Amino acid sequence: MNLNTVDASLLQKMFLAGAKSIEAKKEYINELNVFPVPDGDTGTNMTLTIMSAAKEVTAIQDLDMKSLAKAISSGSLRGARGNSGVILSQLFRGFTKVVKEHETIDVPVMAAAFQKAVDSGNISTSEIKVGYCTEFIIMLEKEYTDKTEDEFKAFLESIGDSIVVVSDDDIVKVHVHTNDPGLAIQRALTYGSLTRMKIDNMREEHNEKVILEAE
């Protein structure tokens, strides 16, 4: 039987199956250790990200394309871990922006959704040059426009690299590699309160990895 369209129920099943597949292969992905930065936890971060979305997708009460798109986009963004996880959430965000406008997805809509995902997921990659991988979510309490986001990104670029800033309704997910996490946090606090803060010392993690590989 050939399928010409995908409805919300089928897309939900497809997404959950994909999430399980990434979870099953996370160690293999970790071993690749090349993108977007060589930190050895890409598979773990992608798994944590997509399983956060899967939790919200599973909990949907009244399933339709809009509620499914919201669960995928919001769930992945809130649960995004590491640079790779944030990039994955951007891909989902772009994809869902297209599909949420349709009750069923045909080939042209699917192609448009994939293209939007690619457009949303494009950021520069980088080598590890600074000390701290800094992540947090801003719970917005003030007006946050495209101009505001551009100014915020410009500030982060002035203090670090490997920057990803993704907004969705009333939250903003931030990832930056910087030698001074406090500066990023102080600026973010001007937009709202912070949650899910995480700061990792990448130099320390790198040294531990080198030691383990040498044993």
Side-chain angles (χ1 to χ4, degrees), residues 44-200:
T44 298
N45 288 335
M46 290 177 67
T47 296
L48 291 170
T49 301
I50 198 169
M51 293 310 292
S52 173
K55 183 177 180 180
E56 293 199 21
V57 167
T58 303
I60 296 174
Q61 296 295 320
D62 298 313
L63 180 66
D64 59 20
M65 200 64 77
K66 285 187 177 180
S67 63
L68 178 58
K70 177 64 177 176
I72 293 174
S73 178
S74 179
S76 61
L77 182 56
R78 290 178 185 276
R81 296 291 187 275
N83 203 331
S84 55
V86 176
I87 292 171
L88 182 61
S89 74
Q90 284 184 291
L91 293 172
F92 287 141
R93 181 169 176 261
F95 180 85
T96 57
K97 277 188 174 181
V98 174
V99 302
K100 71 179 182 181
E101 303 298 331
H102 303 269
E103 289 301 317
T104 58
I105 304 171
D106 57 15
V107 172
V109 172
M110 185 68 80
F114 283 146
Q115 185 58 58
K116 187 68 173 179
V118 171
D119 294 341
S120 298
N122 288 332
I123 70 162
S124 58
T125 62
S126 64
E127 298 295 328
I128 297 178
K129 300 176 182 178
V130 290
Y132 299 96
C133 176
T134 306
E135 293 181 295
F136 50 80
I137 289 178
I138 307 172
M139 308 297 288
L140 293 173
E141 297 170 355
K142 297 181 180 178
E143 183 180 16
Y144 186 85
T145 64
D146 290 342
K147 180 180 179 182
T148 306
E149 182 161 296
D150 289 341
E151 292 173 346
F152 185 36
K153 286 181 179 178
F155 173 77
L156 293 176
E157 287 169 357
S158 74
I159 65 168
D161 59 23
S162 195
I163 294 156
V164 184
V165 177
V166 188
S167 58
D168 183 48
D169 294 337
D170 58 348
I171 67 172
V172 180
K173 178 72 179 185
V174 179
H175 175 281
V176 59
H177 291 175
T178 178
N179 283 322
D180 195 338
L183 293 177
I185 290 170
Q186 288 173 15
R187 184 60 172 261
L189 285 170
T190 65
Y191 307 124
S193 57
L194 306 185
T195 186
R196 300 199 182 183
M197 300 174 67
K198 181 173 179 285
I199 301 175
D200 292 325

Side-chain angles (χ1 to χ4, degrees), residues 202-214:
M202 295 188 295
R203 293 192 180 100
E204 184 177 84
E205 290 181 350
H206 176 70
N207 290 339
E208 289 177 354
K209 182 175 178 61
V210 170
I211 292 171
L212 288 173
E213 290 178 348

Side-chain angles (χ1 to χ4, degrees), residues 8-21:
S9 178
L10 180 55
L11 184 59
Q12 181 189 45
K13 293 175 182 177
M14 292 167 64
F15 181 83
L16 293 175
K20 290 181 180 178
S21 181

